[in-house]
Amino acid sequence: MQRWIEAARPRTLPLAISPVLAGLFLALAQSGQLAVFTALATLIVAGGIQIGTNLHNDAADFERGTDTPDRLGPPRAAAQGWFSAAQVKRAAHLVFLTSFLLGLLLVLRGGWPIFALGVTAIAAGYAYTSGPKPIAYGPYGELFVLAFFGIAAVGGTYYLQTLSLSAQAVTLGIALGLPAAAVLLLNNYRDFDTDRIAGRRTLCHLLGRPAARVVYAVLLVSPVPLLMLGGLPLRGWPLLVVLPLAALLIRQLWHTEGRALNQLLARTGQYQLALTLLLGLGLLLEAW
């Protein structure tokens, strides 16, 4: 059980949960109401799709030969021999199916737009490391993260609560998607050499490591002015609290290599969650 939990990579869950929380905060601040059951179901479905993607990624990378003994990231279940690739894939299918079935309850509230969004999200989870041109093996992974862990997650959550979609929700989705994209960029930065040997050509390979460090800094800092100037109904001063943390993370990237980047990856995910919670504080202060 401990190995299955580790295979699910629970440390990545903030990436799925943060944009859902952001959508809930915005909906609550604007409407003064919260559909609690819908909110909980949205959180569970989003987390399930994240876990399913992680498991499928584990098996697919092993089958492609990407996960080697030289891998710098945390251990993977198939590569470590904890489970066969087939077992990990079956677990991924089960998690995706469970998320789909629970998502049908959300469709009862949100209708066909939510059905289409959920099916697309699950399909993207498979396509991330599968198919003739996996998303993870090209330079568009960060755009994928921005779209699904930002715009789609925030916008879908907001729609489920309000049955409408606003420009403010889209702006919020972009802002929350940027630090999520920074997590993937950093992941590919860490695996730069092993990914190149495996045939992956990510954005980091196109930019080179020095430029990737600059892009990482932009992805961390730019959400703050975007949120403060994007027309959202919030008091912006709480967001300023994350800027020293962003500066610390950026500095650490310039002085960190190898497996030590795993800790920086975790802190980057925590940065996104901190940004979300401070955003919620600013929205609620303005509303009340």
Side-chain angles (χ1 to χ4, degrees), residues 224 228 234-243 274-275 277-283 285:
V224 175
M228 294 180 70
L234 83 161
R235 296 183 186 179
W237 61 262
L239 296 174
L240 299 177
V241 175
V242 302
L243 291 179
L275 179 67
L277 295 177
L278 290 168
L279 164 75
L281 175 61
L283 287 168
L285 285 175

Side-chain angles (χ1 to χ4, degrees), residues 45-111:
V45 169
I49 293 175
Q50 172 71 58
I51 291 173
T53 302
N54 289 343
L55 290 169
H56 191 266
N57 172 249
D58 187 307
D61 276 349
F62 174 73
E63 291 177 336
R64 287 178 176 271
T66 304
D67 287 340
T68 68
D70 296 327
R71 173 180 163 78
L72 297 175
R76 295 283 185 87
Q80 294 293 319
W82 297 342
F83 312 104
S84 69
Q87 287 176 309
V88 178
K89 276 192 174 181
R90 282 197 295 270
H93 299 331
L94 179 60
V95 174
F96 278 135
L97 177 60
T98 303
S99 299
F100 174 79
L101 294 176
L102 182 57
L104 292 178
L105 297 178
L106 297 176
V107 173
L108 294 176
R109 177 173 175 85

Side-chain angles (χ1 to χ4, degrees), residues 156-173:
T157 301
Y158 181 86
Y159 183 84
L160 280 167
Q161 290 292 319
T162 65
L163 301 181
S164 65
L165 187 62
S166 66
Q168 294 172 332
V170 175
T171 298
L172 181 55

Side-chain angles (χ1 to χ4, degrees), residues 19-38:
V20 173
L21 289 177
L24 294 174
F25 286 142
L26 180 61
L28 178 60
Q30 290 186 330
S31 68
Q33 298 178 339
L34 183 68
V36 177
F37 175 80
T38 300

